[in-house]
Amino acid sequence: GWTEYGTRLLYQTHDVTGSLAAGENVLAAVLADGWYSGYVGFDPGRAARHYGAAPRLLAQLVLDFADGSRQVVGTDAGWRERDGEIRYADLLMGEYVDARAATPGWDRPGYDDAGWDPVRAEHLDPAGPALVAAPDQPVRVVDELAPVAVDARGGGRFVVDLGQNMVGRVRLTVPAAPAGTRIELRHAEMLTDGGEPYLANLRSAEATDVYRTAGAAGEVFEPRFTCHGFRYVEVRGYPGDLTADALRGRVLATDTPAAGDFDCDDETVNRLHANIRWSQRGNLVAIPTDCPQRDERLGWLADAQIFLPTACRHADVSAFFARWMADVVAGQDADGAFGDVAPRLNVHREGAPAWGDAGVIIPWHLYRTYGDRRVLRRCYPAMRAWVEHIHRHNPDGIWRRRVGNHYGDWLQVGARTPRDVLATAYFARSAALVARAAAVLGADDDHRRYAGLHDEVRAAFVAAFVDADGRVHGGTQTCYLLALAFDLLPAHLVDAAVAHLVADVRAHSEHLTTGFVGVPLLCPVLTDHGHADLAYALLHQDTYPSWAYSIAHGATTIWERWDGWTERAGFQSAAMNSFNHYSLGSVGDWLFGRVAGIDQADGSVAGRRLVLRPTPGGRLGRASARQAAPRGEVACGWRRTGDTVAYDVAVPVGSTALLHLITGDPDGVREAGARIEASPGVTLVARERTRVVLALVSGSYHFTAPAAPGPVSGPAGPPATGPDPKEYR
């Protein structure tokens, strides 16, 4: 995996007992450049200027014998090396294998390596990078795709469609051909109007693999040291007729355990959910990347923090992100500024608002989701230093100085959110979360300090940017979303701000204008403030800009930008146009948390006190989700039949839940056919005009309720900052 190599090197441990035999054994390795000495990021030069000029190997074999003795065989100056059949291998450029140069048996007992060269051996510097056991799952082949179409283009050239934009490599079976026959594989996410691979958006990444045959029958080529983002493969020089059986897409990802799923009866929404999952899978490859295909693939902090709530719904990413946070912290500078990316390569400036704030937001969300204080404790000094960095340069509470390369609401469309509004909102948010973290860790003085700082920044935000009628300066959807989601407004202005937000969405004919920063807040804020009908209208919107617009034009992953391709303009500028980028898929958290309804109370950690808020609406007739939580699996779903809505709920042992049911007749709610007052494990908390709130203990429940008439309004959610953070202890 890729880490801040100057600080930390990860090693992997394997039990190889079953591979040992009596007598002679061989310990061998194949090396390629990888992140350490290959092309990395969008720097056109080699990464040698960043890390090293050549790959390095550190290995040892530890043998424990039955008599209690131990033998250790390690890498040292006695090892020997030579070039193999891999002529070059690079994550961005591709891999070249000349099978004629293969040396059968080189890694088996009995091979004579007398003609090989001695290695260059260097002693480890005790003051150098720390050696750390890899704490998370490795990158593995996690799936395999068969072609859905093979288009013969003549002259031994074929264009293969795998039917799904994926990340990984190809396994190609080659028929008998003269030794040295050159076969070339080029990878692309899209096709041009003429059916040719669209390669311009790869920029300087060649994404091309080459294989020269050994001359045997049935050779199989599968690169080992490269990774591409692609749906289409152009095969050149293939001997004979390429059939679908001869090629497979091998999907690579960090093998994070599956944790949850969402399903409904609208195939476009299901496709959106699938696109989000595929983009998560394709961009969690050693680090959380921004895109898998072009010459970038960097760990951008804002992208990660806005998508993390959605990522936690699909997979157990606790170990993955805890490990990556060590690199985020390692990249913090002496003034307390996090970077824009981690590992901090190519981009050495101070982190921008919402980007650097990931250093605070991610540890807090990991703690809330998984209940593990260790990552919070490790990151807390860096979290505090980040907030102090902002405050030191902006003592008046308005974040205008030391903003790095301020990206604003990146890639928003048809609007421009004032950058000081966005920055100050994030300043307040980070101060509030550091206060909460301090309370959890028992740092009471820090808790009081940062809670007070949050109040000061909040007051400065209102004074500088909020008018008496609830208008937020800039007036964009994102302006209102930040103010509402981060609880920055006085209570008497909340309804007015919501009205302005709703008016803006309607003024854009029920279209969004949000970019990376605003999009994860849009549907949750509308739902929590009584406008779930409008959130559903955005979900179902199929004209540009919208999620469904990309799906209508063939998207199988989340696009980087709303206008990645449009009917009017075709492809956007190739300078920045990925078709696999999870940021705009952060709406996935809303599908789980509001549509299906799985959430937890504001003061809860690791799902101890669940809040289940299923929200029937839109064109959906049913929706459900399940999610593995530290205490067990949570499930919540609903389906409409005529004038009745049925709800299925499962609460794991060790958790309690508050279930909010929207209904047109609170007295008509039943659990397993009985009145709720007579149902074991169910306690009536509130019965209102359009909703019933029930307290549940662990178990499975089946409710029915008369449907609510008219537009659906979702149950109000808790404020973003909530009660006294000491509750989190």
Side-chain angles (χ1 to χ4, degrees), residues 30 37 40 44 89 113 123 136 177 179 181 210 219 230 247 250 300 310 313 371 380 397 408 501 548:
V30 181
S37 55
V40 183
D113 65 356
H123 289 289
D136 61 333
T181 299
V210 177
E219 297 178 47
F230 64 101
L247 188 146
R250 304 273 280 170
W300 288 93
T310 298
R313 302 287 194 173
Y380 179 72
L501 169 63

Side-chain angles (χ1 to χ4, degrees), residues 162-373:
L162 289 165
Q164 171 64 54
N165 201 12
M166 57 161 280
V167 173
R169 61 200 185 209
V170 163
R171 184 180 67 211
L172 182 68
T173 301
V174 182
T181 299
R182 178 188 171 101
I183 303 170
E184 184 176 289
L185 307 177
R186 294 202 302 176
H187 304 77
E189 294 183 293
M190 301 283 277
L191 298 179
T192 66
D193 290 342
E196 296 294 334
Y198 176 69
L199 303 171
N201 70 325
L202 303 182
R203 302 192 305 210
S204 67
E206 293 181 2
T208 300
D209 300 329
V210 177
Y211 182 68
R212 285 194 177 273
T213 61
E219 297 178 47
V220 176
F221 171 48
E222 181 176 350
R224 285 183 281 177
F225 294 101
T226 191
C227 187
H228 310 296
F230 64 101
R231 171 176 172 171
Y232 301 96
V233 186
E234 181 191 44
V235 182
R236 290 174 175 263
Y238 190 79
D241 185 28
L242 177 63
T243 66
D245 292 337
L247 188 146
R248 289 293 182 268
R250 304 273 280 170
V251 180
L252 289 171
T254 296
D255 196 11
T256 53
D261 200 7
F262 171 89
D263 182 61
C264 70
D265 60 344
D266 185 310
E267 287 310 306
T268 298
V269 177
N270 284 337
R271 183 69 250 184
L272 171 62
H273 172 244
N275 289 2
I276 294 168
R277 290 177 68 102
W278 274 101
S279 283
Q280 174 170 333
R281 173 186 274 185
N283 282 290
L284 298 192
V285 179
I287 64 168
T289 58
D290 60 318
C291 57
Q293 72 296 102
R294 67 181 179 229
D295 57 348
E296 190 164 349
R297 307 189 198 182
L298 300 175
W300 288 93
L301 269 65
D303 307 48
Q305 66 95 350
I306 64 175
F307 188 73
L308 178 62
T310 298
C312 292
R313 302 287 194 173
H314 295 141
D316 181 350
V317 295
S318 54
F320 178 88
F321 275 97
R323 190 258 306 149
W324 183 64
M325 278 305 304
D327 295 304
V328 173
V329 170
Q332 189 173 39
D333 67 21
D335 195 58
F338 294 115
D340 281 335
V341 301
R344 199 164 178 169
L345 184 75
N346 295 120
V347 184
H348 298 289
R349 54 184 173 261
E350 293 178 349
W355 273 251
D357 293 286
V360 172
I361 294 168
I362 291 175
W364 177 253
H365 190 82
L366 292 175
Y367 166 68
R368 279 213 66 205
T369 302
Y370 300 109
D372 188 344
R373 297 188 188 194

Side-chain angles (χ1 to χ4, degrees), residues 11 34 39 75-76 89 94 102 116 164 197 209 253 265 322 385 390 397 415 455 493 499 507 531 599 633 659 709 716:
Y11 64 85
Y39 287 90
T75 46
D76 57 25
W116 289 31
Q164 171 64 54
D209 300 329
D265 60 344
I390 302 170
D455 291 343
L493 293 181
H531 294 278
D599 205 348
E633 185 171 280
L659 173 64

